[in-house]
């Protein structure tokens, strides 16, 4: 962090501000692929469930990971997460059931054809995710919804969907006003009652337009919606996070929290040259994060000792979102590590490997000395 920055001006390095803002209804968690979005979204949902009445976490990534994270199979229907009484999870089905999509009811004759081509339509994943959002807007059964999003590109398209759809529907309604009389005449000529069918269809379009406008307004309201960016301290992730935040600003979507995952803390390095080099590399990018985002809450999470899987592991890990992680100093060389020391198994594994290699070298040197005698 810049030495010129006033320490008192640094925002709290936790997500406590998200937990405390009780007006939030939509919380998006996103970033580059492979940075730990699912772990962070599940952990945030667990902390929200501790203070909210009913919380839902939705995966909008076609390659779902919620089931793997909680070690429990989820579907497109919200299910109660094991070990909780008010936390639900669901995974949006990327293969749409068109009969359930709002606005397509009554088109049974065309449903088969639409179903055949739907899986190959570009952007169908985002469309189905947005359809699920619209369902929740119309019957909001949860006090808060957390979105475990797809990698950045897919997520930006999802967030852009309301504005794009609203513009398209406005254009469609303007065409209806311009050519409504001609359409009604053609409909009467083609089939009896055709005019009523057109009016019914346009009524559904108007209803859809109202819902889309409501979603768009809520997404742009910082009292209702926020976006938590997840990244790692490397160049590509830093670059993509900057792009993501700029795009969110264009969409007028609130973003004030950054979670930097997989951080190696200097206290846990010991004598490893590899880890020391990684710490120096990470520190360079951490400094850039602090310089670029002085007005953001920046949360640092450690490179963990093992995968965070299962409700208990997620619950334990989620504490790091609200309480800054404290690295455990490594014991002096030659001293055994305490059974519960640290929380970084990758580091411990590397240390054990180094110690094993040292012992092996000592054994080989002893054998060589014995052979020379």
């Amino acid at each position: 962090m810049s030495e010129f920055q006033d320490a008192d001006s640094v925002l709290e390095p936790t997500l406590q501000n998200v937990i405390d803002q009780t007006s939030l209804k939509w919380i998006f968690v996103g970033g580059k692929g492979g940075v730990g979005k699912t772990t962070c979204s599940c952990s945030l949902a667990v902390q929200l469930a501790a203070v909210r009445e009913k919380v839902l976490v939705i995966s909008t990534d076609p390659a779902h990971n919620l089931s793997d994270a909680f070690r429990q199979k989820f579907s497109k229907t919200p299910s109660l997460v094991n070990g909780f009484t008010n936390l639900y999870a669901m995974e949006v089905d990327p293969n749409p059931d068109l009969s359930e999509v709002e606005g397509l009811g009554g088109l049974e004759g065309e449903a088969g054809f639409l179903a055949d081509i739907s899986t190959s339509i570009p952007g169908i994943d985002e469309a189905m995710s947005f359809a699920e959002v619209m369902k929740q807007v119309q019957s909001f059964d949860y006090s808060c919804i957390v979105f475990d999003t797809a990698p950045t590109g897919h997520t930006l398209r999802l967030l852009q969907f309301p504005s794009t759809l609203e513009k398209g529907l406005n254009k469609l309604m303007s065409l209806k006003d311009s050519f409504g009389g001609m359409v009604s005449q053609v409909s009467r000529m083609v089939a009896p009652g055709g005019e009523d069918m057109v009016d019914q269809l346009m009524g559904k379009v108007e209803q859809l337009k109202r819902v889309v406008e409501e979603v768009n307004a809520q997404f742009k309201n910082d009292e209702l919606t926020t976006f938590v960016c997840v990244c790692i301290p490397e160049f590509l992730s830093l670059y993509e996070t900057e792009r993501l935040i700029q795009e969110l600003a264009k969409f007028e979507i609130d973003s004030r929290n950054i979670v930097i995952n997989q951080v190696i803390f200097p206290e846990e390095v010991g004598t490893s040259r590899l880890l020391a080099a990684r710490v120096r590399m990470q520190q360079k990018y951490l400094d850039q994060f602090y310089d670029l985002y002085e007005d953001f809450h920046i949360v640092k999470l450690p490179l963990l000792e093992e995968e965070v899987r299962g409700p208990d592991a997620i619950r334990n890990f989620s504490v790091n979102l609200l309480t800054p992680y404290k690295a455990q100093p490594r014991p002096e060389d030659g001293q055994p590590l305490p059974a519960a020391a640290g929380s970084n198994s990758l580091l411990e594994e590397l240390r054990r490997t180094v110690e094993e290699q040292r012992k092996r070298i000592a054994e080989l040197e002893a054998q060589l000395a014995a052979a020379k005698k």
Side-chain angles (χ1 to χ4, degrees):
M1 188 181 304
S2 173
E3 61 182 354
F4 300 107
Q5 185 173 348
D6 184 0
D8 294 335
S9 68
V10 179
L11 295 178
E12 185 181 23
T14 71
L15 296 186
Q16 188 65 52
N17 66 97
V18 177
I19 304 299
D20 292 341
Q21 188 175 343
T22 56
S23 63
L24 283 176
K25 293 172 59 176
W26 314 98
I27 301 174
F28 292 88
V29 180
K32 190 176 183 295
V35 297
K37 297 185 297 296
T38 298
T39 300
C40 291
S41 59
C42 293
S43 298
L44 180 55
V46 166
Q47 289 296 329
L48 286 166
V51 297
R52 297 290 193 98
E53 182 179 353
K54 196 175 180 184
V55 177
L56 173 67
V57 56
I58 298 179
S59 172
T60 62
D61 190 344
H64 298 299
N65 291 312
L66 285 184
S67 296
D68 297 326
F70 281 112
R71 289 183 173 173
Q72 177 183 346
K73 182 61 179 175
F74 298 115
S75 65
K76 62 182 180 180
T77 303
S79 304
L80 187 65
V81 178
N82 293 336
F84 296 87
T85 58
N86 64 335
L87 177 59
Y88 296 79
M90 65 173 287
E91 298 174 334
V92 174
D93 187 359
N95 300 313
D97 181 357
L98 294 175
S99 63
E100 296 181 359
V101 178
E102 181 67 29
L104 291 181
L107 300 180
E108 291 81 2
E110 291 80 5
F113 170 71
L114 291 174
D116 290 338
I117 67 171
S118 62
T119 54
S120 61
I121 297 175
I124 191 65
D125 300 335
E126 292 81 8
M128 293 310 299
S129 298
F130 184 68
E132 184 59 42
V133 171
M134 291 195 298
K135 285 184 184 178
Q136 296 299 335
V137 167
Q138 295 175 86
S139 58
F140 200 85
D141 299 326
Y142 302 90
S143 54
C144 182
I145 295 181
V146 179
F147 288 88
D148 174 34
T149 67
T152 306
H154 294 275
T155 301
L156 291 176
R157 286 197 295 271
L158 170 62
L159 296 176
Q160 193 177 14
F161 207 87
S163 297
T164 304
L165 189 56
E166 184 176 347
K167 291 178 182 177
L169 292 174
N170 284 332
K171 186 66 174 178
L172 184 60
M173 296 301 295
S174 67
L175 290 175
K176 182 254 185 183
D177 294 336
S178 301
F179 302 102
M182 184 174 66
V183 171
S184 298
Q185 291 179 4
V186 172
S187 300
R188 285 195 297 268
M189 293 172 59
V190 171
E195 185 178 2
D196 293 337
M197 185 171 63
V198 171
D199 291 340
Q200 183 181 5
L201 179 60
M202 294 311 297
K204 289 187 177 182
V205 170
E206 290 180 359
Q207 180 183 359
L208 177 62
K209 179 174 174 289
R210 286 194 295 270
V211 176
V212 171
E213 288 174 344
E214 176 63 22
V215 172
N216 208 12
Q218 291 195 17
F219 277 11
K220 294 180 179 181
N221 186 342
D222 60 6
E223 292 295 321
L224 301 177
T225 304
T226 193
F227 196 107
V228 177
C229 301
V230 182
C231 58
I232 56 178
E234 295 182 5
F235 171 76
L236 290 178
S237 187
L238 171 63
Y239 174 79
E240 191 155 317
T241 301
E242 173 65 14
R243 170 174 164 255
L244 173 60
I245 290 175
Q246 289 179 359
E247 291 295 325
L248 291 173
K250 291 180 183 178
F251 298 158
E252 300 178 48
I253 295 176
D254 175 71
S255 178
R256 60 182 182 274
N257 294 277
I258 296 177
V259 175
I260 306 178
N261 199 16
Q262 301 178 21
V263 176
I264 302 175
F265 289 80
E267 297 88 343
E268 299 177 331
V269 169
T271 59
S272 171
R273 294 173 60 186
L274 172 62
L275 295 179
R278 295 290 297 180
V279 166
R280 288 194 298 272
M281 182 272 291
Q282 288 192 351
Q283 190 59 50
K284 176 176 66 174
Y285 295 113
L286 286 172
D287 290 341
Q288 292 184 37
F289 272 109
Y290 282 113
D291 288 339
L292 286 169
Y293 306 110
E294 295 180 352
D295 54 346
F296 278 64
H297 296 269
I298 297 180
V299 184
K300 293 194 299 184
L301 300 179
L303 183 64
L304 295 176
E305 64 178 23
E306 58 186 16
E307 293 178 314
V308 181
R309 296 189 62 199
D312 292 336
I314 292 175
R315 197 193 304 267
N316 293 335
F317 176 73
S318 68
V319 175
N320 294 319
L321 295 177
L322 304 186
T323 304
Y325 175 77
K326 300 294 184 182
Q328 297 289 333
R330 183 175 185 267
E332 296 294 330
D333 288 340
Q335 297 182 3
L337 286 169
S343 62
N344 194 318
S345 72
L346 178 56
L347 295 177
E348 301 306 328
E349 183 179 350
L350 290 171
R351 290 170 187 150
R352 285 194 297 269
T353 301
V354 170
E355 293 300 325
E356 290 172 0
Q357 293 299 324
R358 286 176 177 170
K359 291 179 181 178
R360 179 59 177 161
I361 290 172
E363 292 173 359
L364 291 174
E365 288 177 342
Q367 293 177 11
L368 180 60
K372 289 180 178 180
K373 292 180 180 179

